[in-house]
Amino acid sequence: MKRAILALAVGYLVIGLVTRLMEVAGSRTCGCDPDCWCKMPGLSLLRWVLPRGHKNRAIAEWKAAQGFD
């Protein structure tokens, strides 16, 4: 069980590192608001791995207009 949890944690970090490098290279861009949690220096590594809880007013307004709210 410990080995599986360790593998999962290492996998998240590796995927986070790869996607962060892709972002630095210009393949991905984050459209979140400046006060979003993913803009914090230590947490930006997990930006693409943890897609929940981001702050983006434009998307929130679009969802409200479409009735997803």
Side-chain angles (χ1 to χ4, degrees):
M1 187 66 170
K2 287 182 184 180
R3 192 175 281 179
I5 292 172
L6 181 63
L8 185 65
V10 169
Y12 265 94
L13 289 176
V14 168
I15 292 171
L17 182 62
V18 168
T19 54
R20 182 71 174 119
L21 292 173
M22 289 173 66
E23 184 177 9
V24 169
S27 297
R28 293 179 171 233
T29 56
C30 178
C32 290
D33 294 341
D35 62 339
C36 184
W37 66 266
C38 72
K39 299 290 184 175
M40 297 174 76
L43 297 176
S44 64
L45 178 66
L46 301 174
R47 179 179 300 157
W48 301 103
V49 181
L50 302 172
R52 295 282 187 182
H54 291 270
K55 291 182 183 178
N56 189 322
R57 287 186 204 107
I59 292 177
E61 290 172 1
W62 179 83
K63 285 182 179 180
Q66 298 299 316
F68 290 118
D69 215 13

